[in-house]
Amino acid sequence: MSFITKIFGTHSERELKIIMPIVDKIEALEPAMVSLSDPELRNKTIEFKNRLKNSETLDDILVEAYAVVREASKRVLGLRHFRVQLMGGVILHQGRIAEMRTGEGKTLVSTLPAYLNALGGQGVHIVTVNDYLAKRDAEWMGQIHEFLGLKVGVILNSMDNDQRREAYGCDITYATNNELGFDYLRDNMVIYKEQLFQRGLHYAIIDEVDSVLIDEARTPLIISGQSGKSTRLYEACDIIARQLVRGKESAELTKMAALMKEEIEEEGDFIVNEKDKNVNLTAEGVAKVENFFKIENLADPENLEIQHNMILALRAHNLMFRDKDYVVKDDEVLIVDEFTGRIMPGRRYSDGLHQAIEAKEKVKVKRESKTLATITFQNFFNKYVKKCGMTGTALTEEKEFRDIYGMDVIAVPTNVLVARIDRQDAVYKTRREKLNAVINEIIESHKKGQPVLVGTITIEASEEISELLKKKGIQHKILNAKFHELEAEIIADAGQAGVVTIATNMAGRGTDIKLGEGVVEAGGLKIIGTERHESRRIDNQLRGRAGRQGDPGESRFYISLEDDLMRLFGSEKLMGMFNSLGLPEGEQIEHKMLSNAIEKAQKRIENNNFGIRKNLLEYDQVNNDQREIIYAERRKVLDGESMRDSIFKMITDTVEVCVNTCISDDQIQEDWDLNELNNILLPIIPLEPIILDSEDFKFSKKNALIQKLKEDAINLYEAKEAEFPEKEHLREIERVILLKVIDRKWMDHIDDMDQLRQGIGLQAYGQRDPLVEFKFMGFEMFDEMTGAIREDTVKALMHVRIEQNVEREQVAKVTGTNKDDTVQPGPVKRVGRKIQPNDPCPCGSGKKYKYCCGRN
């Protein structure tokens, strides 16, 4: 502890001292609130809204508003906010993260800032980690808000567009992070303002903020559509992948070895690096692949796709495991979330990895898809005017919350002191010895009626322990991605006497495990962790299942030197030392060096994952800057703004670009290439051919030529405008064409940017920073895209004919949403609003449309 910390206390302690007087004022209002009748308490909402209209701020009414919510909660739910919960509520309103231990009632805490911020009428989003919690909290906590006269909505994956629109229109909306992110992307693909879901991103309260903003932030949200690629190559690569032999390197290639040009001997056909999760073919493997596909050189540019798919097939077989990373259900490969253990329906791995796994598992290989819209969670949540979060485990990631999200973490003390005993890790030499120790410990606890929750990292591990318990005759329940429908029921019973529950990481995050009769005397709920997770936070979450609100409990992790964490990230020297001790079988190893080694390994992985997320954000920042520009232009069109001035600028810019392409500033008139200019300009803007000897073009300066062509182009467009009896018809056509062109070009562009991102790492071989090169090349591509939008829009408008019935349509069908990329293929046209029956007919007859061209 530093000298400053000793004198002034920690950051959390200093901030809580500032918050205490506010909490005192809230508590002082309790007698006044108790004396109010239900209608009087409800009328406080109207009073607060009027005070806000009369220039008071949310901070001015915070104390009274929190006192109202506290009293309403007591009357409606029978739950009265503790003092520490009021502290948490103030922290959340300030746009910070409140770290509150599991079981401290974070769900109830969120009602305070949600009510206060909803009074402004701009909407509050409460973000949860799954649909079950969103629905539960909306129905449960929503009673408080509805009692006080606010509307509460919930967004579920199964809802249709109208239900979503209605839910977003409520004062407070409960939803998962994925639904919010995908709806934001969908909103930027709609073709009419009436189709928008969200009404702005004002204030977000994120429950389990570490899970949402840290764990799930490594992969972007992507909406995809159809791609024309064949799936046969995946099946062919799977055949050869099964024939190749896994080998190993004689030594790791160090930097010094590379500089000294030392060669590393390789054996087998391919090498797997489990630590970095990549696969490389050896020279022998390359020769076998070349022979299989009958090609001369696998490294040739035309064979890049074979090379890419071959590596994917090997990754699918050697780094992606069934019942750990994914499950196969109903002839479909479904991803399992590594942090929660839940199945993620509709999600697919990106870049063809999902197809490689489908080929491996012999299920139908679905086509790759094309990216239509994408955003990272970092950039999405940073779009909120104000955001805050709550979790039981955030301090270990405080730096990331500060750097990326601009939120500091305040640790709130527990309402009752934690009585749980966290025991030292029990370490064993082999995995088999560890599992035997776990089973023996479960049997001992079961005998005395103590409930046990066994936490595993994978589905496979949970089923293995289940089999061992069956052999011992111990009745138990299993909770993993295969049986997640029963989650709430299984978790509710986990604290009953003698109950044994085996669970993957999903272990009911956000749900209470209440202790049954006689359990307190037996020692409370016992937590047994069968392996350390890569993240310390996930381990702490598992421990936090026990010891809620002062309940007794205990926790212990069982580890073997063969566990992935120790095998891949533990010190080889340390592992060698313990292996050479010649310990008798089944003996537990306890040593401070081992505990330190485990924590160091976890820190290394956490730092590595932070690097991945930061790297993702840096690359997405380039996309984000471009996304902001495109989405702002789309919004102008959706809002029905007149695009006439923008179109005129596009026309004059097109003329200037075409002339500058064909004629340089220093060229004399005799050297002007007018044939080329006519060939480039006239297909876009159908002017008369440019002939210098004609009456219209008697000048020698390039600028004069540009000015003359601009005037002619504007006159031509104004003549086109005069053909329309109603000017608004052309304004709508401008909006239709602009939307269509922007969407088509933007979707092509983000797909191109995705391709650029895949290969940009090669720039490092040329001593160039890949990120810097990505920025340069990305902005060049963006300039090219905006030029193409301008050119295509002008060309379409200059050739529009009045007899055409113009309607907006979506340029690409969204065939699904995936976090991790792709979706099922299938192009569809979504048609927008047509000309209305009572509108004047666009043919110019003067009749109403329904009595003229609209009769058929």
Side-chain angles (χ1 to χ4, degrees), residues 466-502:
S466 174
E467 287 302 316
L468 292 171
L469 286 175
K470 278 178 190 170
K471 286 176 184 174
K472 298 286 184 181
I474 302 289
Q475 281 199 330
H476 59 279
K477 291 181 180 176
I478 188 164
L479 176 63
N480 60 34
K482 289 184 173 180
F483 308 105
H484 64 97
E485 293 89 351
L486 306 168
E487 179 179 351
E489 185 189 323
I490 293 172
I491 283 296
D493 292 341
Q496 300 303 310
V499 170
V500 177
T501 310
I502 305 167

mmCIF file of all heavy atoms in Angstrom, residues 466-502:
data_model
loop_
_atom_site.group_PDB
_atom_site.id
_atom_site.type_symbol
_atom_site.label_atom_id
_atom_site.label_comp_id
_atom_site.label_asym_id
_atom_site.label_seq_id
_atom_site.Cartn_x
_atom_site.Cartn_y
_atom_site.Cartn_z
ATOM 1 N N SER A 466 -20.153 -36.070 -14.160
ATOM 2 C CA SER A 466 -21.484 -36.667 -14.012
ATOM 3 C C SER A 466 -21.399 -38.199 -14.075
ATOM 4 O O SER A 466 -22.007 -38.902 -13.254
ATOM 5 C CB SER A 466 -22.416 -36.139 -15.105
ATOM 6 O OG SER A 466 -23.650 -36.793 -15.056
ATOM 7 N N GLU A 467 -20.613 -38.716 -15.028
ATOM 8 C CA GLU A 467 -20.448 -40.175 -15.167
ATOM 9 C C GLU A 467 -19.788 -40.778 -13.925
ATOM 10 O O GLU A 467 -20.193 -41.832 -13.441
ATOM 11 C CB GLU A 467 -19.600 -40.492 -16.416
ATOM 12 C CG GLU A 467 -20.316 -40.289 -17.743
ATOM 13 C CD GLU A 467 -21.584 -41.133 -17.865
ATOM 14 O OE1 GLU A 467 -21.552 -42.323 -17.497
ATOM 15 O OE2 GLU A 467 -22.623 -40.575 -18.282
ATOM 16 N N LEU A 468 -18.755 -40.080 -13.406
ATOM 17 C CA LEU A 468 -18.054 -40.576 -12.211
ATOM 18 C C LEU A 468 -18.986 -40.606 -10.994
ATOM 19 O O LEU A 468 -18.938 -41.529 -10.183
ATOM 20 C CB LEU A 468 -16.831 -39.689 -11.915
ATOM 21 C CG LEU A 468 -15.681 -39.774 -12.934
ATOM 22 C CD1 LEU A 468 -14.637 -38.692 -12.657
ATOM 23 C CD2 LEU A 468 -15.016 -41.150 -12.897
ATOM 24 N N LEU A 469 -19.859 -39.588 -10.873
ATOM 25 C CA LEU A 469 -20.802 -39.545 -9.743
ATOM 26 C C LEU A 469 -21.867 -40.631 -9.867
ATOM 27 O O LEU A 469 -22.299 -41.210 -8.866
ATOM 28 C CB LEU A 469 -21.471 -38.163 -9.662
ATOM 29 C CG LEU A 469 -20.600 -37.024 -9.128
ATOM 30 C CD1 LEU A 469 -21.340 -35.699 -9.207
ATOM 31 C CD2 LEU A 469 -20.167 -37.275 -7.681
ATOM 32 N N LYS A 470 -22.275 -40.922 -11.109
ATOM 33 C CA LYS A 470 -23.260 -41.997 -11.336
ATOM 34 C C LYS A 470 -22.704 -43.334 -10.842
ATOM 35 O O LYS A 470 -23.413 -44.134 -10.223
ATOM 36 C CB LYS A 470 -23.601 -42.092 -12.822
ATOM 37 C CG LYS A 470 -24.643 -41.068 -13.278
ATOM 38 C CD LYS A 470 -24.883 -41.187 -14.784
ATOM 39 C CE LYS A 470 -25.724 -40.021 -15.288
ATOM 40 N NZ LYS A 470 -25.776 -39.993 -16.759
ATOM 41 N N LYS A 471 -21.410 -43.564 -11.118
ATOM 42 C CA LYS A 471 -20.772 -44.817 -10.689
ATOM 43 C C LYS A 471 -20.748 -44.942 -9.171
ATOM 44 O O LYS A 471 -20.779 -46.039 -8.616
ATOM 45 C CB LYS A 471 -19.344 -44.893 -11.245
ATOM 46 C CG LYS A 471 -19.295 -45.186 -12.737
ATOM 47 C CD LYS A 471 -17.861 -45.156 -13.252
ATOM 48 C CE LYS A 471 -17.823 -45.346 -14.767
ATOM 49 N NZ LYS A 471 -16.465 -45.169 -15.306
ATOM 50 N N LYS A 472 -20.678 -43.777 -8.488
ATOM 51 C CA LYS A 472 -20.647 -43.776 -7.014
ATOM 52 C C LYS A 472 -22.061 -43.736 -6.421
ATOM 53 O O LYS A 472 -22.231 -43.694 -5.202
ATOM 54 C CB LYS A 472 -19.847 -42.568 -6.500
ATOM 55 C CG LYS A 472 -18.385 -42.559 -6.921
ATOM 56 C CD LYS A 472 -17.568 -43.577 -6.145
ATOM 57 C CE LYS A 472 -16.089 -43.494 -6.515
ATOM 58 N NZ LYS A 472 -15.299 -44.492 -5.786
ATOM 59 N N GLY A 473 -23.067 -43.665 -7.313
ATOM 60 C CA GLY A 473 -24.458 -43.653 -6.844
ATOM 61 C C GLY A 473 -24.906 -42.331 -6.252
ATOM 62 O O GLY A 473 -25.832 -42.298 -5.441
ATOM 63 N N ILE A 474 -24.246 -41.251 -6.611
ATOM 64 C CA ILE A 474 -24.618 -39.926 -6.088
ATOM 65 C C ILE A 474 -25.588 -39.255 -7.054
ATOM 66 O O ILE A 474 -25.242 -39.002 -8.219
ATOM 67 C CB ILE A 474 -23.363 -39.024 -5.905
ATOM 68 C CG1 ILE A 474 -22.340 -39.675 -4.959
ATOM 69 C CG2 ILE A 474 -23.762 -37.627 -5.414
ATOM 70 C CD1 ILE A 474 -22.748 -39.724 -3.522
ATOM 71 N N GLN A 475 -26.793 -38.960 -6.578
ATOM 72 C CA GLN A 475 -27.772 -38.255 -7.421
ATOM 73 C C GLN A 475 -27.331 -36.807 -7.602
ATOM 74 O O GLN A 475 -26.844 -36.168 -6.663
ATOM 75 C CB GLN A 475 -29.147 -38.274 -6.757
ATOM 76 C CG GLN A 475 -29.877 -39.601 -6.948
ATOM 77 C CD GLN A 475 -31.375 -39.447 -6.700
ATOM 78 O OE1 GLN A 475 -31.781 -38.625 -5.913
ATOM 79 N NE2 GLN A 475 -32.174 -40.253 -7.372
ATOM 80 N N HIS A 476 -27.514 -36.272 -8.810
ATOM 81 C CA HIS A 476 -27.061 -34.902 -9.086
ATOM 82 C C HIS A 476 -27.812 -34.324 -10.280
ATOM 83 O O HIS A 476 -28.447 -35.051 -11.042
ATOM 84 C CB HIS A 476 -25.559 -34.883 -9.374
ATOM 85 C CG HIS A 476 -25.168 -35.745 -10.538
ATOM 86 N ND1 HIS A 476 -24.996 -37.109 -10.431
ATOM 87 C CD2 HIS A 476 -24.966 -35.447 -11.847
ATOM 88 C CE1 HIS A 476 -24.695 -37.608 -11.616
ATOM 89 N NE2 HIS A 476 -24.674 -36.616 -12.503
ATOM 90 N N LYS A 477 -27.708 -32.999 -10.433
ATOM 91 C CA LYS A 477 -28.283 -32.315 -11.599
ATOM 92 C C LYS A 477 -27.151 -31.704 -12.399
ATOM 93 O O LYS A 477 -26.130 -31.295 -11.828
ATOM 94 C CB LYS A 477 -29.255 -31.210 -11.149
ATOM 95 C CG LYS A 477 -30.516 -31.767 -10.512
ATOM 96 C CD LYS A 477 -31.451 -30.643 -10.096
ATOM 97 C CE LYS A 477 -32.721 -31.199 -9.466
ATOM 98 N NZ LYS A 477 -33.594 -30.126 -8.971
ATOM 99 N N ILE A 478 -27.347 -31.648 -13.718
ATOM 100 C CA ILE A 478 -26.288 -31.113 -14.584
ATOM 101 C C ILE A 478 -26.824 -29.912 -15.356
ATOM 102 O O ILE A 478 -27.929 -29.935 -15.881
ATOM 103 C CB ILE A 478 -25.743 -32.221 -15.523
ATOM 104 C CG1 ILE A 478 -24.522 -31.737 -16.294
ATOM 105 C CG2 ILE A 478 -26.804 -32.745 -16.466
ATOM 106 C CD1 ILE A 478 -23.720 -32.864 -16.923
ATOM 107 N N LEU A 479 -26.047 -28.835 -15.358
ATOM 108 C CA LEU A 479 -26.450 -27.599 -16.028
ATOM 109 C C LEU A 479 -25.350 -27.186 -17.002
ATOM 110 O O LEU A 479 -24.268 -26.776 -16.594
ATOM 111 C CB LEU A 479 -26.662 -26.488 -14.989
ATOM 112 C CG LEU A 479 -26.988 -25.086 -15.512
ATOM 113 C CD1 LEU A 479 -28.300 -25.082 -16.254
ATOM 114 C CD2 LEU A 479 -27.053 -24.095 -14.360
ATOM 115 N N ASN A 480 -25.605 -27.393 -18.287
ATOM 116 C CA ASN A 480 -24.651 -26.925 -19.301
ATOM 117 C C ASN A 480 -25.420 -26.464 -20.531
ATOM 118 O O ASN A 480 -26.645 -26.425 -20.534
ATOM 119 C CB ASN A 480 -23.608 -28.002 -19.644
ATOM 120 C CG ASN A 480 -24.225 -29.276 -20.192
ATOM 121 O OD1 ASN A 480 -25.242 -29.233 -20.897
ATOM 122 N ND2 ASN A 480 -23.625 -30.411 -19.872
ATOM 123 N N ALA A 481 -24.706 -26.140 -21.588
ATOM 124 C CA ALA A 481 -25.351 -25.570 -22.782
ATOM 125 C C ALA A 481 -26.383 -26.510 -23.389
ATOM 126 O O ALA A 481 -27.262 -26.087 -24.117
ATOM 127 C CB ALA A 481 -24.286 -25.212 -23.811
ATOM 128 N N LYS A 482 -26.298 -27.801 -23.086
ATOM 129 C CA LYS A 482 -27.250 -28.757 -23.663
ATOM 130 C C LYS A 482 -28.599 -28.729 -22.940
ATOM 131 O O LYS A 482 -29.614 -29.109 -23.481
ATOM 132 C CB LYS A 482 -26.671 -30.174 -23.598
ATOM 133 C CG LYS A 482 -25.508 -30.393 -24.563
ATOM 134 C CD LYS A 482 -25.054 -31.833 -24.522
ATOM 135 C CE LYS A 482 -24.010 -32.104 -25.595
ATOM 136 N NZ LYS A 482 -23.551 -33.491 -25.566
ATOM 137 N N PHE A 483 -28.572 -28.287 -21.656
ATOM 138 C CA PHE A 483 -29.806 -28.309 -20.873
ATOM 139 C C PHE A 483 -30.135 -26.924 -20.304
ATOM 140 O O PHE A 483 -30.679 -26.812 -19.227
ATOM 141 C CB PHE A 483 -29.670 -29.307 -19.708
ATOM 142 C CG PHE A 483 -29.220 -30.682 -20.139
ATOM 143 C CD1 PHE A 483 -27.921 -31.110 -19.904
ATOM 144 C CD2 PHE A 483 -30.092 -31.531 -20.805
ATOM 145 C CE1 PHE A 483 -27.497 -32.367 -20.306
ATOM 146 C CE2 PHE A 483 -29.672 -32.788 -21.209
ATOM 147 C CZ PHE A 483 -28.373 -33.209 -20.970
ATOM 148 N N HIS A 484 -29.759 -25.880 -21.035
ATOM 149 C CA HIS A 484 -29.891 -24.540 -20.456
ATOM 150 C C HIS A 484 -31.338 -24.103 -20.249
ATOM 151 O O HIS A 484 -31.621 -23.181 -19.497
ATOM 152 C CB HIS A 484 -29.147 -23.503 -21.300
ATOM 153 C CG HIS A 484 -29.694 -23.347 -22.682
ATOM 154 N ND1 HIS A 484 -30.572 -22.352 -23.005
ATOM 155 C CD2 HIS A 484 -29.484 -24.064 -23.814
ATOM 156 C CE1 HIS A 484 -30.889 -22.460 -24.293
ATOM 157 N NE2 HIS A 484 -30.246 -23.484 -24.792
ATOM 158 N N GLU A 485 -32.295 -24.799 -20.883
ATOM 159 C CA GLU A 485 -33.714 -24.450 -20.699
ATOM 160 C C GLU A 485 -34.134 -24.624 -19.227
ATOM 161 O O GLU A 485 -35.047 -23.976 -18.741
ATOM 162 C CB GLU A 485 -34.626 -25.319 -21.583
ATOM 163 C CG GLU A 485 -34.484 -25.073 -23.082
ATOM 164 C CD GLU A 485 -33.402 -25.946 -23.727
ATOM 165 O OE1 GLU A 485 -32.662 -26.616 -22.966
ATOM 166 O OE2 GLU A 485 -33.283 -25.927 -24.950
ATOM 167 N N LEU A 486 -33.455 -25.554 -18.535
ATOM 168 C CA LEU A 486 -33.832 -25.858 -17.145
ATOM 169 C C LEU A 486 -33.037 -25.024 -16.143
ATOM 170 O O LEU A 486 -33.096 -25.264 -14.940
ATOM 171 C CB LEU A 486 -33.566 -27.350 -16.864
ATOM 172 C CG LEU A 486 -34.207 -28.353 -17.841
ATOM 173 C CD1 LEU A 486 -33.630 -29.734 -17.627
ATOM 174 C CD2 LEU A 486 -35.717 -28.376 -17.650
ATOM 175 N N GLU A 487 -32.296 -24.027 -16.645
ATOM 176 C CA GLU A 487 -31.343 -23.288 -15.808
ATOM 177 C C GLU A 487 -31.943 -22.732 -14.520
ATOM 178 O O GLU A 487 -31.451 -22.993 -13.416
ATOM 179 C CB GLU A 487 -30.736 -22.132 -16.621
ATOM 180 C CG GLU A 487 -29.764 -21.292 -15.820
ATOM 181 C CD GLU A 487 -29.165 -20.172 -16.651
ATOM 182 O OE1 GLU A 487 -29.354 -20.138 -17.875
ATOM 183 O OE2 GLU A 487 -28.501 -19.335 -16.042
ATOM 184 N N ALA A 488 -33.021 -21.960 -14.642
ATOM 185 C CA ALA A 488 -33.598 -21.289 -13.460
ATOM 186 C C ALA A 488 -34.037 -22.306 -12.405
ATOM 187 O O ALA A 488 -33.774 -22.135 -11.207
ATOM 188 C CB ALA A 488 -34.776 -20.423 -13.888
ATOM 189 N N GLU A 489 -34.661 -23.392 -12.877
ATOM 190 C CA GLU A 489 -35.158 -24.425 -11.962
ATOM 191 C C GLU A 489 -34.009 -25.119 -11.245
ATOM 192 O O GLU A 489 -34.045 -25.340 -10.029
ATOM 193 C CB GLU A 489 -35.974 -25.441 -12.791
ATOM 194 C CG GLU A 489 -36.659 -26.503 -11.964
ATOM 195 C CD GLU A 489 -37.269 -27.589 -12.850
ATOM 196 O OE1 GLU A 489 -37.790 -27.259 -13.947
ATOM 197 O OE2 GLU A 489 -37.189 -28.755 -12.466
ATOM 198 N N ILE A 490 -32.952 -25.471 -12.004
ATOM 199 C CA ILE A 490 -31.795 -26.172 -11.418
ATOM 200 C C ILE A 490 -31.091 -25.285 -10.403
ATOM 201 O O ILE A 490 -30.744 -25.719 -9.300
ATOM 202 C CB ILE A 490 -30.821 -26.634 -12.533
ATOM 203 C CG1 ILE A 490 -31.482 -27.725 -13.393
ATOM 204 C CG2 ILE A 490 -29.514 -27.143 -11.940
ATOM 205 C CD1 ILE A 490 -30.698 -28.114 -14.642
ATOM 206 N N ILE A 491 -30.887 -23.995 -10.769
ATOM 207 C CA ILE A 491 -30.196 -23.068 -9.871
ATOM 208 C C ILE A 491 -31.009 -22.816 -8.600
ATOM 209 O O ILE A 491 -30.465 -22.725 -7.497
ATOM 210 C CB ILE A 491 -29.884 -21.739 -10.607
ATOM 211 C CG1 ILE A 491 -28.674 -21.939 -11.542
ATOM 212 C CG2 ILE A 491 -29.599 -20.600 -9.655
ATOM 213 C CD1 ILE A 491 -27.378 -22.278 -10.840
ATOM 214 N N ALA A 492 -32.327 -22.739 -8.734
ATOM 215 C CA ALA A 492 -33.181 -22.483 -7.562
ATOM 216 C C ALA A 492 -33.045 -23.594 -6.527
ATOM 217 O O ALA A 492 -33.129 -23.356 -5.316
ATOM 218 C CB ALA A 492 -34.631 -22.346 -8.012
ATOM 219 N N ASP A 493 -32.802 -24.837 -6.994
ATOM 220 C CA ASP A 493 -32.693 -25.983 -6.074
ATOM 221 C C ASP A 493 -31.269 -26.234 -5.582
ATOM 222 O O ASP A 493 -31.052 -27.095 -4.729
ATOM 223 C CB ASP A 493 -33.195 -27.261 -6.778
ATOM 224 C CG ASP A 493 -34.697 -27.209 -7.030
ATOM 225 O OD1 ASP A 493 -35.363 -26.394 -6.364
ATOM 226 O OD2 ASP A 493 -35.185 -27.958 -7.889
ATOM 227 N N ALA A 494 -30.295 -25.497 -6.142
ATOM 228 C CA ALA A 494 -28.879 -25.805 -5.861
ATOM 229 C C ALA A 494 -28.491 -25.593 -4.399
ATOM 230 O O ALA A 494 -27.472 -26.124 -3.949
ATOM 231 C CB ALA A 494 -27.970 -24.974 -6.772
ATOM 232 N N GLY A 495 -29.291 -24.820 -3.653
ATOM 233 C CA GLY A 495 -28.944 -24.555 -2.257
ATOM 234 C C GLY A 495 -29.688 -25.428 -1.262
ATOM 235 O O GLY A 495 -29.573 -25.239 -0.042
ATOM 236 N N GLN A 496 -30.438 -26.415 -1.784
ATOM 237 C CA GLN A 496 -31.187 -27.313 -0.877
ATOM 238 C C GLN A 496 -30.251 -28.381 -0.286
ATOM 239 O O GLN A 496 -29.242 -28.739 -0.905
ATOM 240 C CB GLN A 496 -32.333 -28.001 -1.645
ATOM 241 C CG GLN A 496 -33.339 -27.034 -2.257
ATOM 242 C CD GLN A 496 -33.971 -26.112 -1.234
ATOM 243 O OE1 GLN A 496 -34.465 -26.550 -0.197
ATOM 244 N NE2 GLN A 496 -33.930 -24.802 -1.497
ATOM 245 N N ALA A 497 -30.597 -28.891 0.872
ATOM 246 C CA ALA A 497 -29.748 -29.858 1.586
ATOM 247 C C ALA A 497 -29.439 -31.086 0.729
ATOM 248 O O ALA A 497 -30.343 -31.679 0.136
ATOM 249 C CB ALA A 497 -30.442 -30.285 2.875
ATOM 250 N N GLY A 498 -28.150 -31.437 0.657
ATOM 251 C CA GLY A 498 -27.705 -32.653 -0.023
ATOM 252 C C GLY A 498 -27.742 -32.617 -1.542
ATOM 253 O O GLY A 498 -27.402 -33.615 -2.185
ATOM 254 N N VAL A 499 -28.117 -31.474 -2.142
ATOM 255 C CA VAL A 499 -28.210 -31.399 -3.612
ATOM 256 C C VAL A 499 -26.814 -31.187 -4.208
ATOM 257 O O VAL A 499 -26.034 -30.348 -3.739
ATOM 258 C CB VAL A 499 -29.158 -30.247 -4.056
ATOM 259 C CG1 VAL A 499 -29.066 -30.021 -5.566
ATOM 260 C CG2 VAL A 499 -30.589 -30.562 -3.658
ATOM 261 N N VAL A 500 -26.518 -31.972 -5.240
ATOM 262 C CA VAL A 500 -25.247 -31.810 -5.967
ATOM 263 C C VAL A 500 -25.585 -31.285 -7.369
ATOM 264 O O VAL A 500 -26.385 -31.882 -8.086
ATOM 265 C CB VAL A 500 -24.471 -33.141 -6.069
ATOM 266 C CG1 VAL A 500 -23.197 -32.964 -6.897
ATOM 267 C CG2 VAL A 500 -24.142 -33.669 -4.679
ATOM 268 N N THR A 501 -24.990 -30.160 -7.745
ATOM 269 C CA THR A 501 -25.240 -29.550 -9.060
ATOM 270 C C THR A 501 -23.911 -29.395 -9.786
ATOM 271 O O THR A 501 -22.951 -28.859 -9.220
ATOM 272 C CB THR A 501 -25.901 -28.159 -8.899
ATOM 273 O OG1 THR A 501 -27.014 -28.266 -8.025
ATOM 274 C CG2 THR A 501 -26.354 -27.618 -10.238
ATOM 275 N N ILE A 502 -23.873 -29.893 -11.029
ATOM 276 C CA ILE A 502 -22.668 -29.713 -11.858
ATOM 277 C C ILE A 502 -23.023 -28.672 -12.915
ATOM 278 O O ILE A 502 -24.045 -28.789 -13.601
ATOM 279 C CB ILE A 502 -22.252 -31.024 -12.549
ATOM 280 C CG1 ILE A 502 -22.081 -32.130 -11.521
ATOM 281 C CG2 ILE A 502 -20.967 -30.836 -13.340
ATOM 282 C CD1 ILE A 502 -21.977 -33.511 -12.134
#
